[in-house]
Each structure stands twice: as structure tokens, then as C-alpha cells.
Amino acid sequence: MRSAFSKALVEAAQNDKRVLLLTGDHGYALFDEFRRSCPDQYINAGIAEQNMVGVAAGLAKAGFRPVVYGLSAFVPVRVLEQIKIDVCYEKLPVIFTGDGAGLVYSTLGTSHQSFEDIACLRAVPHIDILSPCDAHELTACMRSAFAQAGPVYMRMGKADLGAVHEALPDLECGKLLRVLDGDHPVTLVATGSMVKAAQTLGRELGASVWSAPWIKPLDTTQLSSIAAGTRAIITLEEHSVVGGLGGAVLEALAEAGPRPVLRVGIGEQFSLTCGSHAHAMREHRIDLESVRQRIAPFVAKWQAA
Amino acid sequence: MKPLFQPSALRRTVVEMAYAGNAVHLGCAFSIVELVSALYARQMRYDLSDPDDPGRDYLVLSKGHGVMAQYACLHQLGWIERQDIDGYFHDGSRLKGLSDAHVPGCEVTSGSLGHGLSVGVGLALGASRRKAGQNCYVIVGDGEMNEGPVWEGMLFAAHAKLDNLMVIVDANGFQAMGTTDEVMALGSLRAKFSAFDFDVLEVDGHDLAAISAAMDQLMTTKNGKPKALVAKTVKGKGVSYMENINAWHYSRLNAVQYEQALRELGGA
């Protein structure tokens, strides 16, 4: 997924000299190819994220297409106010990329773990939120982001889980992508790193699985029609259950035609111990085995209904 | 032909707006009147018929609570209307109490302090990359310099060698709750800007000729260094009962004060 990101960036920058990459002194090795191919379009803004976002806003106003790269713990969360006031209020075409989203930095602890980023940005007008699950979705997301006239945030989580899609999907604003077709009365909707787990669970249950690369806006019409064809929905995300994909699905369906929704994600808890990403996922009970156990009663209830 | 931006006329407009809107921040606007006057009358390049002209110089009012001084200039430019002045803060009106980028002539949305310099740095960087000969002027308050991103922006500006950028400090010595010395002592701004590798001059912020001379001297020195103009100003300048009285950060005009202010400014 990271090489797809680098490739998409280089492609965009080579095609459009207005594209400028700003990084807050992050992205070691990730930008080697970019720096080699487009040295004049690379700006290391130093360890000063607030200034970096303001500079990106100024560059966008002056006609450039800035891409701001950071860890998702810092971009968007640390710089939320700059994104809101300097960028979104004027609908400036700035692309924010938040790397290492979720529990990726499991060993570094709370400062680098990021499961509030979607929730923070969902309340900010004019910015779209993208959350690709594999290299194909990421490439499609990057193309969509550059095609947007306004601000975009792309969340990049655990990147080495392998492909979900077999080819580059057609991405449409706000649309979910079907990953698996099933006839189980419960449907799974997942985003980012959790789509793989949803795919596995969907196969076990014979359930339909949808990936949500475009979390804001969400296409309520499509979501309603998915809901109409199922008894209940389970959402899965490596993000807080508050304000993320699960929250967005619930809010949309509450108005459009409610279905029972079980939100699988991170709860009211910071990581307490240190360990691998797999360990952190277990600690927060969003690893595959924990999720299997967590959803079992909900699945049984709506299967029997 | 450019309007004249005569300071007492600008201050009268500020008083009229503030009274019409029962607005605060008069003292904060009065301290920058000569600074914006010099910028619009002499220093900046702009197209009178198009506030968004892509070749314009940029004025970023980072201390957004001084915005009535800029509104007074924008009114003289014809970019905002008399009804905007008379209807300030009325329901459905378009001018807010802090600088807002949706207003023609305002580059940034400020008031949350410490934002404008970074955006100005981005504008200056964009202009320098385009080699369009555009300059960017950023007005910050001395109190605003408590904010961390101001110093991030200074580091970046020097690193990027933005000699088309000028930071203008409205050094009136006050911030909301007291003097800058009482709240968060700044020490020598001149020394601090020098240490950050800026060309820096200090000037009497109410002496139009001195301001223009200092701006000229700074901006004609193309040496890869960003510029800083530390303008020593008086909060509330121009109205006797407001000068150096910090209460005029928050106070509203009553009818008697309104009439007296206009009289002192050569109006009514």
C-alpha cells in the first residue's frame, strides 16, 4: 500500500507541476522516489505541523495543489483548527494524508496511536474523508482526491495486509464497494485495515461484505438500499466506535430507515500495554478471533429473527 | 486613482462601525490604522477593480480583531459598501468581528491567533515559486506572538529565504488581560527577529512617512532574508480617552463617547 501511495504521488506530481508534497519531517524512505523524480516539488516543513498546514493553505490560495503528509495522530488531530479555519472554510484543494492510522504504532504508545481522526474531521464542513483498505483502493482514492476541488483527508492504516480487491475499483463519491456477496441476514460494512477481517468473517458466515473507502460523505441512498436488503449490520473499523464509520452508518440509517447496527471498533480505552500490532489489536478486542466472539451473539440473534 | 486612506477618516469609519454594531476591539483597530493606511496607499500592488487579482500583493491580517481598520480601507477602495459599515453586526450582515476570508480584500480567516503568519508564508512561498514579483505583508499583534505557530512560521520563512515576506508587528504593548510584559514578556522583538535571521527595523507605528520609508528600505533589500517591521504603536490611538487604556479591547461606545470620538477625529 505504501509503494502504491508513493507511485500515485509521483504520478500526480509529474502530471501537474502545481502538486507540492509537504511533510512534517516524516516519511523516511517513503519519499525516496518522489524526491528523486520531483525534487522541486518536495518540501520538508520541519517538525512544525501547525505551520505546515497554514503554509499549505497559503500555497493552495496561490494556485498550488499541496499534499500534506503526516502521521494521522498529528495530521489531522494536532492541526484540526488549521484544517478547519485555514483550509476548509475556504474549500481549498489541499490533500491531507494521515499515515499509521489506528494502532499501527503499537509499540510507540498513545501519542502515535490514532483512533479519533475520522471522528474529529467528520464534524468539519467541506472536507471529504477517504479510508482505503488495500493498494487498489488507495490508488483509486488518490486519483479521486486529486480530482476533488476541495479538501480531502486520506487515512492510511495497517498497510501490509494484502489485497482485498483484484483490480482497481471504480470509486464514486460516497459509495461503498461490494467485497463479498452473501445471503446471510447480517451484512458487514468495514473500512481500512478491518476489511480483510470482514472478508474472512463474511466467508465464514456466508454474509455480504462492503468496504467503505469513502467515509464522508456517505451515500445514504446506497446505504439505505443495502440496509433494506438485510436484517442487521455490523460495522468494523480500526478507529473509535464513536464518530467513525459505525457512527456515520448509524446516523445515516437512523434517519433513512433504521436497522440494528453493531459497531466493532475501539472503545473507551487507551492502549495499556506495549507490543506488536497484533497484540494491540487483541488488547482492544478487534483482532479476528475477538471480533468473531464479539459478533457471535448479535449474529445469532438476527439470524434467528 | 487610489483613495487617500487618511488616518483620521479611517478612524471615523471605525467609530461609526463600532457604534452601529455595538462592537468591541476599537483599541485594537486604532493601533494599526497608520500601518494599513501606508500599505494600501503606497506599499501594496493591487487592482482596484478586482480584489482577487492573481498578481496582487497579499495583506494578511493575522491579528483579526483589528479588522475594523482594514474594513475602513476596504470601504475606501469600494470593495465593501456603506451599508456594510452602517449595518455592522446587524442580522444577516456580512462583515464579522474578526478577519474573514470570504470578504473581498481579506486573505485569511483569523481571530484564532497564530494562524495568519503561516498562511502568509505559504502565499509568499507560492509567489516566489511563481516568480511573479508579489510581496506578502502579515500584520501580527505583539500579544499574538505568544502563539507557537508564529515562531514556527518565522523559522520556515527564514529557511525558505522568503525576502518577499514582511511581518509587521503591531507592538502596542498590550494584550487582552494586561500589558505584554505582565502577561508573557516578549523581551526585545528586534533581537528575536534578528536571531531568526530576519532583516528587522523598528518604527513609530503612527508616523506614516517613517513607516513607508522603513517598508521601502526593507522590501528593496533582496538578500534572501524575510523582513520584520516592529511598529511601536499606541492601543486606542487617536481618541484621547482610549489611548493606552486596555479596557478599549472590550469596551463598547455609548452615545456620549461616540460623539466625542467623532469630534476628536474631526468628524461631527
Side-chain angles (χ1 to χ4, degrees):
Chain A
M1 198 148 111
R2 289 168 71 82
S3 68
F5 176 59
S6 169
K7 193 163 168 250
L9 262 183
V10 170
E11 182 185 286
Q14 284 177 333
N15 289 338
D16 185 350
K17 291 295 169 201
R18 298 173 308 158
V19 172
L20 299 175
L21 171 64
L22 289 90
T23 173
D25 206 30
H26 276 125
Y28 182 75
L30 179 63
F31 299 130
D32 285 355
E33 177 57 27
F34 190 97
R35 295 169 73 174
R36 200 183 57 71
S37 309
C38 317
D40 295 339
Q41 289 160 275
Y42 173 84
I43 298 170
N44 187 342
I47 311 164
E49 294 86 1
Q50 297 177 82
N51 179 64
M52 172 168 63
V53 175
V55 169
L59 286 168
K61 286 167 73 70
F64 290 86
R65 293 294 316 259
V67 179
V68 176
Y69 174 86
L71 303 192
S72 70
F74 312 144
V75 177
V77 178
R78 186 186 179 117
V79 294
L80 189 61
E81 194 187 85
Q82 276 77 15
I83 293 178
K84 167 188 157 187
I85 300 173
D86 301 339
V87 176
C88 290
Y89 184 57
E90 292 183 67
K91 303 182 186 172
L92 297 174
V94 180
I95 298 172
F96 298 95
T97 57
D99 205 354
L103 302 171
V104 167
Y105 290 104
S106 58
T107 57
L108 298 185
T110 298
S111 75
H112 279 55
Q113 293 172 13
S114 164
F115 41 85
E116 321 80 8
D117 52 323
I118 298 173
C120 289
L121 282 182
R122 274 191 59 228
V124 179
H126 304 318
I127 188 163
D128 283 19
I129 303 175
L130 304 176
S131 168
C133 73
D134 70 358
H136 293 305
E137 269 192 16
L138 183 138
T139 302
C141 282
M142 286 291 280
R143 288 180 189 171
S144 296
F146 279 108
Q148 294 283 109
V152 177
Y153 169 60
M154 189 179 75
R155 174 182 220 248
M156 295 193 288
K158 184 71 173 158
D160 55 0
L161 300 174
V164 169
H165 302 280
E166 286 170 5
L168 199 66
D170 283 332
L171 215 56
E172 271 184 80
C173 179
K175 286 266 198 310
L176 304 175
L177 296 172
R178 192 197 296 273
V179 169
L180 200 63
D181 205 6
D183 52 13
H184 192 279
V186 172
T187 295
L188 307 181
V189 178
T191 192
S193 64
M194 294 300 283
V195 177
K196 270 296 216 190
Q199 201 176 22
T200 303
L201 294 165
R203 285 200 188 105
E204 290 173 10
L205 295 169
S208 291
V209 176
W210 295 80
S211 172
W214 211 309
I215 291 178
K216 177 176 180 271
L218 258 189
D219 186 324
T220 308
T221 309
Q222 184 199 25
L223 195 61
S224 302
S225 106
I226 292 169
T230 190
R231 281 191 201 149
I233 291 174
I234 299 172
T235 61
L236 303 97
E237 60 199 309
E238 196 174 322
H239 181 275
S240 171
V241 292
V242 177
L245 172 69
V249 167
L250 266 177
E251 286 164 24
L253 291 183
E255 207 170 292
R259 281 286 182 276
V261 176
L262 174 67
R263 290 165 300 151
V264 174
I266 295 173
E268 187 77 3
Q269 180 195 337
F270 291 110
S271 296
L272 297 174
T273 63
C274 187
S276 63
H277 180 255
H279 169 80
M281 295 289 278
R282 280 194 299 276
E283 191 183 70
H284 288 277
R285 301 195 64 232
I286 52 173
D287 64 299
L288 182 60
E289 184 48 38
S290 301
V291 175
R292 195 180 278 126
Q293 290 171 19
R294 284 171 75 176
I295 68 171
F298 183 85
V299 169
K301 177 179 175 184
W302 294 104
Q303 197 166 7
Chain B
M1 200 183 82
K2 283 184 184 177
L4 293 171
F5 305 107
Q6 209 262 333
S8 59
L10 297 175
R11 287 194 173 89
R12 282 199 299 275
T13 303
V14 170
V15 167
E16 287 161 358
M17 287 190 88
Y19 190 61
N22 199 24
V24 298
H25 293 147
L26 281 124
C28 324
F30 280 173
S31 61
I32 62 167
V33 164
E34 280 78 11
L35 296 172
V36 291
S37 169
L39 285 165
Y40 281 110
R42 283 196 72 247
Q43 203 63 32
M44 289 201 302
R45 185 173 72 180
Y46 51 87
D47 180 348
L48 199 53
S49 66
D50 179 11
D52 295 323
D53 170 39
R56 70 191 182 276
D57 286 344
Y58 303 108
L59 171 55
V60 172
L61 183 62
S62 192
K63 58 158 279 181
H65 51 300
V67 72
M68 285 189 292
Q70 189 178 14
Y71 288 152
C73 296
L74 299 180
H75 176 52
Q76 289 203 1
L77 288 167
W79 294 352
I80 61 178
E81 311 294 328
R82 184 71 223 179
Q83 69 193 42
D84 294 317
I85 305 294
D86 295 339
Y88 194 45
F89 282 11
H90 293 191
D91 289 351
S93 59
R94 66 169 174 159
L95 301 185
K96 297 164 188 170
L98 300 164
S99 178
D100 188 296
H102 291 185
V103 174
C106 290
E107 298 289 355
V108 299
T109 303
S110 58
S112 176
L113 297 172
H115 281 247
L117 178 56
S118 298
V119 179
V121 166
L123 287 165
L125 178 62
S128 80
R129 292 180 75 99
R130 285 209 312 253
K131 298 183 172 45
Q134 296 163 277
N135 293 324
C136 181
Y137 302 88
V138 181
I139 300 178
V140 300
D142 48 2
E144 180 179 11
M145 297 197 71
N146 294 177
E147 291 278 9
V150 174
W151 305 91
E152 296 181 6
M154 285 163 61
L155 278 174
F156 187 104
H159 180 77
K161 302 190 183 337
L162 297 177
D163 58 13
N164 62 340
L165 174 78
M166 183 190 292
V167 181
I168 302 166
V169 184
D170 173 25
N172 62 31
F174 285 99
Q175 52 195 99
M177 300 294 282
T179 66
T180 52
D181 280 343
E182 288 165 350
V183 178
M184 181 81 85
L186 289 162
S188 166
L189 285 175
R190 181 180 197 129
K192 285 184 167 66
F193 275 107
S194 287
F196 275 65
D197 223 13
F198 277 57
D199 282 337
V200 52
L201 288 176
E202 287 176 318
V203 71
D204 174 349
H206 301 297
D207 180 337
L208 275 175
I211 292 168
S212 288
M215 287 180 173
D216 283 346
Q217 186 183 330
L218 287 169
M219 292 318 263
T220 52
T221 309
K222 291 298 173 194
N223 56 358
K225 288 185 172 194
K227 316 302 176 190
L229 183 65
V230 179
K232 301 286 189 186
T233 58
V234 173
K235 196 162 181 174
K237 174 75 177 179
V239 174
S240 59
Y241 59 84
M242 292 187 195
E243 291 191 357
N244 283 319
I245 304 297
N246 205 30
W248 286 96
H249 194 106
Y250 295 119
S251 297
R252 295 176 163 84
L253 289 165
N254 63 32
V256 174
Q257 290 164 331
Y258 170 67
E259 296 297 338
Q260 185 183 340
L262 284 184
R263 266 198 311 278
E264 290 189 18
L265 294 166

